[in-house]
Amino acid sequence: MQAAQADDISADTVAGQVPELLVVSNPGSGAQDGQARREALATVFREQGRAFRFIDVDGPGDLEEASRRAAEEARGRKGVIVAVGGDGTINTVAQAAWRAGCALGVLPQGTFNLFGRDHGIAQDLEQAARMLLRARPRPVAVGEVNGRLFLVNASVGLYPQLLEDREVFKQQFGRRRWVAVLAGLVTIFEWRRQLTLEFERDGQAVVVRTPTLFVGNNRLQLERIGLPAEVVARVGEGELAAVMARPIGTGRMVLLMLRGAIGRLGEAEQVDSFAFRSLTVKVVGMRKLKLAADGEVGVMAPPLRFSVASRPLLLMVPRDEDRVPVA
């Protein structure tokens, strides 16, 4: 990874006044779109006299290492590392910022952008960039599973498979909403596997069979799918939310998906949800399984230890007067 030179403005001119921005963009987007984003951001930052640099990323496989180096530099220079992309890209950059202990700025560019929306960050790139220049660092709670952070959610079972299948469909048919819905239906109709999970809840040993375990750290998402208000209210206050479906047939699973889409999942008898501070989950009969964290799917070995991270993430949050109401 190489860092491009500061565009027009030397960091030395603002030393001790405002932090330099080290901007990491999603390398998975097209070259033309990426260049247009750079030009738009450079224009905003130059207009405001802000020191900034774009961090060159060779490809998706280089994002993690590029973010790590940029975060270390941001810490040393008391700067801000800025993630430009969807929830998956933001997650990668956030992990680097959290480990280095530097501040994170977010310029959402994905489809859902739940993390950015939940913190009042604009979805328009230039508007979000202007908000970032006035933003202030605040600690925000993030989730952790076996050392991996998640900002929005983490899951095992059906949901990671759904994400993988959705990406395959999008590569074939384009990034349209109907493509995502079709991919979800195909996954549900083909899924037959049930997980057997063992964990302790309220001092009692619990064994459940479920097609998926979903752990949320984002109030906006949990509100939208319709979880009980008493569960949602505890998220972000030192707790996470767990959601599990009971073993059911394909037809009922489709109905659950529809309930979630219209914000009524919590009313379904086949769904159990609860808030927790920490939860250790054993997965019977499996030595490794797919785990999705903020839309990125990997492989993890159980037991799975979910908790709020030991320290918060330092996020550049818009001022109250700049915040965009959640839509």
Side-chain angles (χ1 to χ4, degrees):
M1 177 207 76
Q2 296 178 341
Q5 296 298 315
D7 289 66
D8 293 346
I9 303 167
S10 169
D12 295 336
T13 65
V14 292
Q17 298 180 30
V18 290
E20 180 186 17
L21 305 177
L22 282 72
V23 184
V24 182
S25 186
N26 179 1
S29 301
Q32 185 173 359
D33 291 342
Q35 184 59 34
R37 283 198 298 269
R38 281 194 175 205
E39 293 174 359
L41 291 174
T43 298
V44 172
F45 297 151
R46 289 191 189 111
E47 287 176 349
Q48 300 299 319
R50 188 63 170 266
F52 67 96
R53 281 184 293 148
F54 292 110
I55 304 301
D56 293 331
V57 180
D58 295 332
D62 185 46
L63 179 62
E64 183 175 350
E65 177 62 16
S67 300
R68 184 191 66 79
R69 294 181 184 179
E72 292 289 344
E73 184 176 355
R75 179 184 63 181
R77 298 173 65 88
K78 296 184 179 179
V80 175
I81 185 172
V82 180
V84 184
D87 285 333
T89 298
I90 293 170
N91 176 287
T92 299
V93 181
Q95 302 224 31
W98 185 83
R99 291 191 173 97
C102 68
L104 170 73
V106 169
L107 300 177
Q109 286 289 283
T111 303
F112 300 106
N113 300 325
L114 291 164
F115 183 69
R117 290 179 189 273
D118 200 30
H119 292 284
I121 299 172
Q123 303 307 293
D124 176 78
L125 180 64
E126 294 183 36
Q127 183 183 358
R130 291 188 178 93
M131 293 168 65
L132 174 62
L133 297 178
R134 289 168 43 85
R136 295 292 182 265
R138 293 181 185 173
V140 299
V142 293
E144 185 175 4
V145 52
N146 290 19
R148 179 184 174 92
L149 297 187
F150 58 95
L151 311 179
V152 179
N153 60 58
S155 58
V156 293
L158 173 61
Y159 193 66
Q161 189 62 50
L162 188 151
L163 293 175
E164 282 195 336
D165 292 346
R166 185 175 69 186
E167 191 60 32
V168 171
F169 270 66
K170 285 183 175 180
Q171 290 175 4
Q172 293 178 346
F173 303 109
R175 295 185 176 276
R176 301 178 178 88
R177 190 171 294 274
W178 69 264
V179 174
V181 173
L182 177 61
L185 290 173
V186 170
T187 304
I188 288 173
F189 275 101
E190 292 182 349
W191 187 264
R192 296 291 183 273
R193 185 176 303 166
Q194 301 289 331
L195 302 176
T196 301
L197 307 179
E198 296 181 356
F199 56 90
E200 185 176 300
R201 179 182 174 189
D202 298 328
Q204 301 291 323
V206 179
V207 179
V208 300
R209 282 181 56 79
T210 179
T212 193
L213 167 64
F214 179 96
V215 176
N217 183 53
N218 185 273
R219 285 187 179 181
L220 175 59
Q221 183 180 47
L222 300 174
E223 287 172 351
R224 286 186 171 181
I225 64 176
L227 287 197
E230 61 270 20
V231 173
V232 176
R234 293 163 65 179
V235 173
E237 303 295 333
E239 298 190 45
L240 303 170
V243 186
M244 293 177 293
R246 299 172 188 171
I248 53 178
T250 300
R252 287 184 177 273
M253 184 60 71
V254 172
L255 291 176
L256 285 185
M257 185 176 75
L258 293 175
R259 276 183 174 271
I262 62 175
R264 301 184 64 177
L265 186 64
E267 299 175 8
E269 294 181 356
Q270 301 87 358
V271 172
D272 184 25
S273 63
F274 57 92
F276 66 89
R277 292 187 179 277
S278 64
L279 187 71
T280 298
V281 180
K282 298 179 181 179
V283 186
V284 178
M286 299 189 69
R287 303 175 72 175
K288 291 184 178 181
L289 74 168
K290 293 178 182 177
L291 180 137
D294 295 343
E296 298 296 313
V297 181
V299 176
M300 190 168 287
L304 307 174
R305 298 177 177 87
F306 294 94
S307 66
V308 174
S310 57
R311 55 186 172 83
L313 174 70
L314 196 60
L315 178 68
M316 300 299 292
V317 176
R319 296 188 180 192
D320 291 342
E321 60 268 30
D322 292 339
R323 287 178 62 90
V324 174
V326 176

